Amino acid sequence: MALLAGSVGVTAAPTAHAGSDCSLPAPGRFQDATGSATLSVIAVDAQCLRTYRLVSSITGERLFRELPGTPVLRTGSAMLDGLYAMAHDDAELNKTDQVSDGSYNFGNPTPCPGGCYITGKSWTYVWTRDVSYSADLGLAAVDPARMRDTLLFKLSDRRDGSGDTQIIQDTGTGGSHPNSTDRVVWALGASEILDWLPDGERQSFATKAFDAIRNTVEYDRKVVYDPTDGLYLGEQSFLDWREQSYPAWTKDDVAPIATSRALSTNVVHWSALDAAARLASGAGDHGAAAKYRGWADSLATAIRTRFWLPRQGQFSQMLTTELDTAPVRRYDALATSLAVLTGVATADQAAQAVRNYPMTPHGPAVIWPQQQDIPAYHNNGIWPFATAYLMRAAAKVGNDGVATAQARSLVRGAALFGTNKENLNLLTGGTDTEINSDRQLWSVAGMMSMVQQSVFGVDARPDGLRVAPFVPAQLRVEHFAGSDRAVLHNLRYRGRTLNVELRFPQTSIRQGAYVVRSSTLNGRQIPAGTAITESMLGSGESTLVVQLDPPTSSTAAPVPVDTSAKEALYGPRTPAVRDVSVVDGRVRLGVDAAGEDPARVTMDVLRDGSVIAQGVPVTSTWTDGGSAGLGTDSYCYSVRLTYTSSGNTSQHAQPNCYWGPGYDRVLKVAGDGFEAVGGYRSANANGTYYANWGNAPGDRLTARIRPTVTGDYLLQADAAVGKPINTGVGGGIKLLRVVEDASGAVVTERPIAMPNTGSWSRVNHSTFVDAHLTAGREYRVELVNDRTAVNMSYFTTNAAYNDTMGGHFNYNDVFAIKALLKKATG
């Protein structure tokens, strides 16, 4: 790939506007093996605002102009200035007063009070994660009021009139929350908006944000937080097409996804707790502030401990499921970047994770390694918004090589395709992916972020605006070597106008990043790191001039992976543990290597979330010599494969557990043994169950069990919820309560998820609840409705969802309630 910048020629425009550059730069050009583009200034108006023509060999011609009242970039590079202007034009096209989606109100328009941003040309609704990441990346700085109103569209109280305003989890896997839990990313966007809003608007939004964030984190603490490992459960943030980034065995059974721990989702839970602590402090609720700060600190420690892979110098993408909580040796660009930018990663972890994240010739893959036999979208995909986050992370740790690589990827995608596309195919560099959209909102924000947050280093915080530029020398050489300055005009900060001017020294150094020497605000020198407040800016237009010194030491970006080499790009196919048996007093596994050549891979064996054998030869059977405790422990096994040539590792095999001879450690009460309130008994090929059950407040199912062994058990239900697996807002959820019959003591109670199964004839397992049970005592295991056991259909906003217009949906056909003995203790 090569970036070709036009030579800088200057022709004076007839009319000049104070503080602006009215010159006409030479056309900017981009070319690589996949195509070429030329970006030219074809007109300059009396206010020095330009009209651009972008001509691409792939997409043809586009005309756009700089808009009055929006920030304007002047670097001497028509390419950089123009692509930044195109991002603002794309954002303007995404503005609307009403939104629509086929799943809501039967596709009819829904008003968006105050005005919203739609998600993209092909996505004409507001989605929580998209708008939240867009706000955090760059759009909050451009139009904080519209971003505020767009985020407010994603809050809702309960349909029963009881209040409890929460952040809405969009339609998704298994019926949405609690299988997917990254709605808390809303707090990341809200925090950025609060830092940009003017004084008169900030407090009102802060009050609403605190109420919603507090209610959401308190609810999630009861439903999706695991106090055992200190992490939150739920699907990865944004990587919500499970075949793309999860093992294939989750395709038709997503309860393991609901019990997984994802790096990205845990970091955004941290962001929500951090926001709750800050907002509580601002509201004078110091007790709540201390509580949420403690929760956030504990979560940060758990993330650093559980997800970090020291040998790889990377954060793991996820811990796959409840029965196998070992971190996968697979990575996620967004999650890695968020861990760095939030400060959840330690300084050493941050530097390593940014330095080691794999690159391809066209940019960073959003996941690594890729999965075989899966089309391009998240898999084999480059997403500009994730690229922009990685550029921010690189700037934070001072890695000019990685930052430059991200900038090249962002410039290439926007220049060749004449818009800010949703994603790119990393193999072809094109837009040949499963789903794509023009002017995708978070891609638009990512282009703005490259300029505003990374290059100019503009960072709004509660106490003021900080400016810490990070300009890689390579980026300047490729685009504006002939200019002695770069200026970001008309940045609106809390109702004030600020121009930021970077002045470059004469230097021949072509590597590293420029260093800040000094800064002056309206001609007065200010110390490095000064927080610029509204009072310092005053009511007029202000200018911050940052004098830069020559670049210092450079860090090289990773050498791009050869995408034509299968084992360099992909992980091995997912293996399987076919069976678990006992031979001569030890557990023996039957292993299926999924067609991989045993000569090209090695195998790791995992037991109960720990690696017990690493890099061993792949064989059809493997005996666990350390399984002498099988008399008391119900071991659960998984395996993974690694290519010896590249180190790329497969997904983990679906866990297979030893539940005793003849499964005698599984206590099961089938549907014909239930005591039931609500619904009616029915039967099909899967057995006896209760149909039309679970939606009414008083519905209850009770199973009585009497263990013969004292120990730690996993409680679970077998159920069908016949809505689609990949969408919906009404996945099954119930409170599972275990009560000792004789004393009436509650042993445990916790919500369980019974995700959509796609058909009422398909029965899957629910998530688990832990309980310690004593031999000889009788227990009632109850499934009931409860205020904590609600899905997104219980919230007012989803009264417009087509499937739940008539009321909430929480029906579950329950076939069995089970207690699985995991470890005997007495």
Side-chain angles (χ1 to χ4, degrees):
M1 172 167 56
L3 286 169
L4 305 177
S7 60
V8 178
V10 177
T11 302
T15 305
H17 175 61
S20 296
D21 180 358
C22 295
S23 62
L24 295 172
R29 296 184 175 87
F30 174 90
Q31 184 172 356
D32 71 0
T34 66
S36 62
T38 301
L39 215 167
S40 307
V41 178
I42 60 172
V44 181
D45 71 11
Q47 299 300 310
C48 300
L49 298 177
R50 298 170 175 172
T51 299
Y52 292 91
R53 177 189 289 121
L54 174 60
V55 179
S56 165
S57 64
I58 297 174
T59 57
E61 180 177 297
R62 175 178 177 179
L63 297 178
F64 54 90
R65 63 186 182 88
E66 294 171 335
L67 305 173
T70 61
V72 171
L73 180 64
R74 294 291 182 265
T75 61
S77 164
M79 181 63 73
L80 289 187
D81 297 354
L83 293 182
Y84 184 66
M86 187 175 76
H88 286 278
D89 191 59
D90 276 352
E92 189 70 16
L93 293 170
N94 284 341
K95 289 182 178 179
T96 185
D97 294 325
Q98 56 187 18
V99 297
S100 62
D101 181 80
S103 296
Y104 286 87
N105 198 22
F106 299 107
N108 294 311
T110 300
C112 188
C116 286
Y117 284 107
I118 58 171
T119 301
K121 182 179 180 181
S122 301
W123 305 100
T124 54
Y125 202 67
V126 176
W127 305 111
T128 300
R129 70 173 66 93
D130 298 65
V131 70
S132 301
Y133 284 126
S134 299
D136 182 57
L137 275 171
L139 275 166
V142 173
D143 195 342
R146 184 174 288 268
M147 289 307 303
R148 172 201 60 203
D149 294 338
T150 311
L151 259 69
L152 287 174
F153 188 82
K154 300 308 298 184
L155 300 183
S156 180
D157 56 7
R158 296 202 186 207
R159 296 169 77 167
D160 63 6
S162 63
D164 189 24
T165 302
Q166 291 190 32
I167 302 162
I168 290 300
Q169 184 76 38
D170 293 317
T171 61
T173 295
S176 187
H177 198 280
N179 314 309
S180 305
T181 69
D182 72 332
R183 61 181 175 154
V184 286
V185 72
W186 190 95
L188 195 68
S191 296
E192 184 72 7
I193 291 166
L194 281 167
D195 291 340
W196 286 95
L197 281 172
D199 286 341
E201 302 175 43
R202 198 157 54 246
Q203 187 54 54
S204 174
F205 183 55
T207 300
K208 294 176 182 177
F210 181 37
D211 183 44
I213 294 170
R214 175 182 55 196
N215 292 341
T216 301
V217 300
E218 289 286 354
Y219 178 85
D220 281 354
R221 195 74 172 186
K222 299 170 185 172
V223 178
V224 295
Y225 175 72
D226 184 357
T228 304
D229 61 13
L231 296 173
Y232 285 82
L233 310 182
E235 188 175 30
Q236 301 164 89
S237 183
F238 135 73
L239 299 172
D240 60 338
W241 186 348
R242 61 202 178 284
E243 293 96 332
Q244 293 275 323
S245 56
Y246 282 90
W249 48 266
T250 66
K251 180 177 183 295
D252 297 315
D253 181 3
V254 299
I257 292 176
T259 68
S260 66
R261 286 86 162 149
L263 174 62
S264 54
T265 300
N266 273 274
V267 175
V268 295
H269 275 284
W270 179 92
S271 296
L273 295 172
D274 175 67
R278 289 185 285 102
L279 290 168
S281 181
D285 190 342
H286 301 298
K291 177 176 73 171
Y292 297 135
R293 180 56 57 203
W295 288 3
D297 290 346
S298 295
L299 178 57
T301 298
I303 293 171
R304 293 168 187 155
T305 303
R306 296 301 307 276
F307 289 96
W308 184 245
L309 302 172
R311 290 183 62 185
Q312 286 73 33
Q314 286 278 4
F315 282 100
S316 169
Q317 181 181 23
M318 63 182 170
L319 318 180
T320 307
T321 186
E322 187 80 6
L323 298 176
D324 172 21
T325 56
V328 300
R329 284 170 49 183
R330 305 174 71 85
Y331 323 123
D332 170 351
L334 174 63
T336 298
S337 303
L338 292 173
V340 172
L341 291 166
T342 56
V344 167
T346 67
D348 183 57
Q349 287 174 339
Q352 289 188 64
V354 169
R355 182 174 66 245
N356 295 332
Y357 195 85
M359 289 292 297
T360 77
H362 301 303
V366 293
I367 58 173
W368 196 269
Q370 309 313 299
Q371 303 206 145
Q372 297 183 46
D373 310 315
I374 299 295
Y377 187 58
H378 297 139
N379 191 68
N380 277 336
I382 295 168
W383 289 63
F385 93 97
T387 303
Y389 266 116
L390 191 54
M391 185 175 180
R392 279 179 63 186
K396 179 172 181 177
V397 301
N399 191 315
D400 63 295
V402 171
T404 300
Q406 311 320 300
R408 287 171 175 159
S409 180
L410 290 167
V411 167
R412 177 191 176 277
L416 288 184
F417 301 106
T419 185
N420 292 279
K421 296 293 289 187
E422 182 178 359
N423 52 69
L424 302 173
N425 185 318
L426 71 79
L427 290 171
T428 67
T431 58
D432 47 329
T433 62
E434 290 295 282
I435 304 171
N436 218 321
S437 175
D438 292 353
R439 53 182 159 89
Q440 190 77 0
L441 193 67
W442 54 17
S443 301
V444 172
M447 178 58 69
M448 294 176 179
S449 174
M450 180 186 80
V451 173
Q452 296 162 194
Q453 296 174 321
S454 294
V455 173
F456 280 83
V458 175
D459 181 15
R461 302 183 192 177
D463 64 345
L465 190 72
R466 287 172 172 79
V467 178
F470 188 79
V471 185
Q474 295 176 72
L475 184 64
R476 183 172 179 234
V477 167
E478 291 167 356
H479 284 289
F480 55 102
S483 177
D484 65 355
R485 68 195 61 202
V487 188
L488 184 59
H489 292 285
N490 199 36
L491 192 67
R492 297 287 293 172
Y493 173 66
R494 295 186 179 179
R496 278 74 169 178
T497 301
L498 176 66
N499 306 314
V500 182
E501 180 176 328
L502 310 181
R503 293 184 179 175
F504 296 96
Q506 290 188 347
T507 179
S508 59
I509 300 174
R510 303 170 67 87
Q511 302 288 331
Y514 287 87
V515 178
V516 174
R517 179 200 298 174
S518 61
S519 298
T520 58
L521 180 63
N522 296 330
R524 299 184 64 177
Q525 189 157 341
I526 60 174
T530 297
I532 300 170
T533 63
E534 301 100 306
S535 61
M536 293 169 66
L537 295 177
S539 58
E541 185 173 304
S542 297
T543 298
L544 177 71
V545 176
V546 182
Q547 183 65 54
L548 300 174
D549 275 341
T552 55
S553 59
S554 174
T555 306
V559 175
V561 171
D562 179 3
T563 56
S564 67
K566 172 188 168 183
E567 293 180 9
L569 181 63
Y570 295 97
R573 293 181 177 88
T574 305
V577 179
R578 291 194 314 272
D579 57 76
V580 176
S581 58
V582 176
V583 177
D584 296 330
R586 296 294 184 270
V587 176
R588 175 177 290 178
L589 314 181
V591 177
D592 183 346
E596 294 290 346
D597 182 353
R600 305 197 65 81
V601 293
T602 60
M603 180 174 70
D604 297 340
V605 182
L606 302 98
R607 181 181 67 209
D608 293 334
S610 296
V611 178
I612 59 171
Q614 189 166 0
V616 299
V618 177
T619 55
S620 59
T621 62
W622 189 87
T623 299
D624 179 9
S627 56
L630 60 86
T632 57
D633 289 27
S634 299
Y635 297 125
C636 294
Y637 293 90
S638 179
V639 297
R640 64 189 181 201
L641 305 178
T642 299
Y643 283 131
T644 55
S645 63
S646 64
N648 285 349
T649 302
S650 72
Q651 296 278 13
H652 290 194
Q654 183 173 13
N656 198 335
C657 304
Y658 174 70
W659 295 117
Y663 288 85
D664 64 1
R665 297 178 187 177
V666 179
L667 305 179
K668 179 177 178 179
V669 179
D672 53 7
F674 293 162
E675 302 167 20
V677 176
Y680 58 89
R681 186 182 293 182
S682 187
N684 62 19
N686 295 306
T688 302
Y689 65 98
Y690 272 81
N692 201 35
W693 176 86
N695 211 48
D699 284 2
R700 177 187 303 266
L701 291 179
T702 302
R704 295 180 183 274
I705 60 173
R706 187 183 295 273
T708 58
V709 178
T710 297
D712 299 326
Y713 287 78
L714 299 174
L715 284 298
Q716 186 181 54
D718 291 348
V721 181
K723 293 291 184 176
I725 289 180
N726 65 337
T727 190
V729 298
I733 180 171
K734 290 289 179 286
L735 186 74
L736 187 150
R737 180 186 295 128
V738 180
V739 180
E740 187 183 39
D741 228 10
S743 66
V746 176
V747 177
T748 189
E749 59 178 12
R750 188 170 177 87
I752 59 167
M754 293 178 277
N756 294 353
T757 57
S759 166
W760 291 106
S761 63
R762 180 182 175 88
V763 178
N764 286 339
H765 306 311
S766 74
T767 57
F768 295 111
V769 171
D770 299 329
H772 184 81
L773 306 179
T774 301
R777 297 182 184 177
E778 185 169 277
Y779 296 90
R780 301 194 310 271
V781 183
E782 302 171 344
L783 293 181
V784 298
N785 286 310
D786 180 82
R787 191 167 174 81
T788 59
V790 298
N791 54 44
M792 290 291 107
S793 73
Y794 285 75
F795 288 84
T796 302
T797 192
N798 283 320
Y801 190 71
N802 297 347
D803 289 351
T804 59
M805 284 183 171
H808 65 261
F809 184 96
N810 199 2
Y811 289 98
N812 317 264
D813 285 356
V814 180
F815 287 76
I817 294 174
K818 300 179 299 186
L820 298 85
L821 176 63
K822 191 68 180 70
K823 183 177 180 63
T825 59

